[in-house]
């Protein structure tokens, strides 16, 4: 048996963690969640098995918010896809643009403590662009708007590098909370996070009302409530407008020649928030450029990291071209 482990890509998202195995593609896609026993303090479930009130989400904005829980979760996920007890995998992971040296070191520590033998960090915006199929190796402007669980990250890239980046704390979770507040205010019921997220994704699918499962705040009983799509869009409005503002501000900081490129090529939406109905149209109106969803918006970062796993010299070649 070889003592060298596989080459893997780990997309450590605030909502979900995805693992890409060289030659196989994405083999794991589970919630970035950990359930802790409230009495003993011990971890009792990870990922898809993590449910209940004691569930934690230890990753925020692509970085460990709780280093120990993140390390344990990553180690658990790796053990599910890398079944070589004497070998340690080589990992490729995404580093959010603008991360500090301390944040970079924390992400490396998580990987090594999860028993990786080597770690390569790829800028998050580059991974998203690669996964969305943008021509990142060309010296033309391309824009990626990634709406994750806790934040929205906007980047303009050219020649394999981010020219301008912006991040705002208005991700998919802000929209989910707005929908939950709508249900509480108008119906007096409680809507959990997963139901709110499902409502966000289904809004606008056919233009009809969205049915959600709510809990009566007084009796605790569950039943269905129908929400008009227009009310969901109104509730999501403030979070969407902050993303629009950030995208516009990012464009304004770009060199004039890249702004011309963006007018032709436009922007691509990735991440779970990209599924929100009406968002591409609102961005097109504000930015005055084409805006489209990626073909696989939820998986773009994992697929982009997978491109780097399949071709470990790609990042080095991009740097040499500068």
């Amino acid at each position: 048996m070889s003592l060298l482990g596989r080459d893997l890509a780990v997309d450590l998202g605030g909502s979900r963690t995805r693992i890409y195995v060289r030659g196989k593609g994405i083999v794991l896609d589970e919630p970035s969640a950990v359930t802790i026993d409230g009495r003993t303090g011990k971890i009792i479930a990870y990922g898809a098995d993590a449910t209940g009130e004691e569930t934690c989400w230890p990753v925020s904005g692509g970085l460990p918010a709780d280093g120990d829980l993140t390390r344990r979760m990553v180690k658990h996920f790796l053990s599910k896809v890398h079944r070589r007890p004497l070998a340690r995998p080589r990992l490729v992971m995404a580093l959010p643009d603008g991360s500090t040296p301390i944040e970079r070191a924390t992400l490396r520590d998580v990987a090594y403590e999860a028993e990786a033998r080597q770690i390569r960090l790829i800028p998050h915006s580059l991974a998203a662009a690669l996964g969305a199929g943008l021509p990142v190796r060309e010296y033309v402007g391309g824009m990626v708007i990634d709406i994750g669980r806790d934040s929205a990250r906007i980047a303009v890239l050219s020649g394999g590098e981010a020219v301008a980046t912006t991040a705002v704390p208005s991700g998919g979770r802000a929209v989910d909370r707005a929908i939950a507040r709508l249900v509480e205010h108008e119906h007096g019921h409680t809507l959990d996070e997963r139901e709110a997220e499902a409502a966000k994704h289904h809004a606008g699918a056919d233009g009809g009302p969205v049915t959600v499962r709510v809990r009566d705040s007084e009796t605790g009983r569950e039943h269905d409530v129908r929400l008009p799509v227009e009310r969901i869009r109104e509730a999501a409005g403030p979070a969407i407008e902050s993303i629009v503002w950030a995208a516009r501000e990012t464009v304004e900081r770009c060199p004039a020649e890249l702004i011309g490129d963006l007018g032709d090529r436009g922007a691509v939406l990735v991440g779970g928030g990209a599924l929100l109905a009406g968002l591409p149209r609102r961005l097109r109106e504000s930015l005055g450029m084409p805006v489209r969803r990626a073909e696989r918006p939820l998986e773009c970062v994992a697929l982009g990291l997978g491109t780097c796993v399949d071709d470990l010299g790609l990042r080095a070649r991009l740097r040499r071209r500068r």
Side-chain angles (χ1 to χ4, degrees):
M1 178 187 294
S2 172
L3 295 181
L4 297 181
R6 288 176 172 171
D7 292 333
L8 312 175
V10 179
D11 172 19
L12 189 63
S15 178
R16 302 186 74 84
T17 293
R18 298 178 176 90
I19 297 181
Y20 180 108
V21 175
R22 186 175 186 178
K24 292 188 175 182
I26 297 174
V27 298
L28 181 139
D29 183 349
E30 295 196 25
S32 300
V34 177
T35 299
I36 299 174
D37 188 307
R39 183 175 57 84
T40 65
K42 294 183 178 180
I43 296 174
I44 57 176
Y46 297 93
D49 297 324
T51 59
E53 296 182 357
E54 301 298 330
T55 297
C56 305
W57 300 82
V59 179
S60 179
L63 292 166
D66 184 311
D68 183 58
L69 286 183
T70 302
R71 174 184 61 81
R72 292 171 181 265
M73 181 183 71
V74 171
K75 187 174 182 179
H76 171 80
F77 288 154
L78 289 177
S79 70
K80 297 181 71 171
V81 303
H82 189 267
R83 302 180 185 278
R84 298 183 183 181
L86 299 180
R88 299 168 64 191
R90 182 165 53 175
L91 303 185
V92 175
M93 301 181 73
L95 178 71
D97 298 84
S99 298
T100 66
I102 292 177
E103 291 170 334
R104 186 180 301 112
T106 299
L107 190 57
R108 286 185 176 277
D109 288 345
V110 164
Y112 285 126
E113 290 171 9
E115 299 185 359
R117 80 175 192 274
Q118 184 180 347
I119 171 70
R120 291 194 181 189
L121 300 179
I122 304 298
H124 183 277
S125 59
L126 178 59
L130 284 168
L134 295 186
V136 297
R137 307 185 198 196
E138 300 178 12
Y139 284 98
V140 294
M143 189 174 190
V144 177
I145 302 174
D146 184 354
I147 306 174
R149 181 175 186 264
D150 301 301
S151 62
R153 289 171 281 192
I154 301 97
V156 175
L157 300 101
S158 178
E161 297 291 336
V163 177
T165 63
T166 306
V168 290
S170 294
R173 193 179 187 190
V175 175
D176 298 343
R177 287 175 170 174
I179 296 172
R181 288 194 297 270
L182 168 68
V183 171
E184 182 177 10
H185 176 72
E186 296 193 352
H187 300 275
H189 301 315
T190 301
L191 183 70
D192 69 27
E193 188 171 311
R194 295 188 180 184
E195 279 289 315
E197 183 177 19
K200 173 183 66 184
H201 291 166
H202 292 152
D206 57 8
V210 176
T211 301
V212 295
R213 192 72 174 170
V214 302
R215 183 181 299 275
D216 190 297
S217 302
E218 295 182 358
T219 66
R221 294 180 179 176
E222 293 186 349
H223 60 91
D224 292 338
V225 165
R226 290 163 64 84
L227 301 177
V229 171
E230 294 78 11
R231 297 294 292 126
I232 294 177
R233 291 176 180 173
E234 290 173 9
I240 290 176
E241 288 308 310
S242 67
I243 296 170
V244 170
W245 173 87
R248 191 164 53 233
E249 194 271 339
T250 304
V251 172
E252 291 172 352
R253 290 191 283 108
C254 291
E257 61 271 19
L258 292 187
I259 293 178
D261 291 338
L262 295 177
D264 295 331
R265 295 172 177 266
V268 61
L269 281 170
V270 305
L275 300 176
L276 185 62
L279 182 57
R281 177 176 51 81
R282 178 67 187 91
L283 286 164
R284 282 194 294 268
E285 293 172 351
S286 178
L287 299 175
M289 67 174 67
V291 178
R292 64 176 178 86
R293 289 189 185 92
E295 184 176 345
R296 298 169 66 179
L298 300 177
E299 301 172 340
C300 277
V301 174
L303 293 172
L305 293 173
T307 299
C308 297
V309 165
D310 292 337
D311 183 358
L312 289 170
L314 173 61
R315 179 60 178 157
R317 292 200 301 277
L318 287 172
R319 283 177 171 170
R320 285 198 296 269
R321 293 185 58 196
R322 296 180 65 187

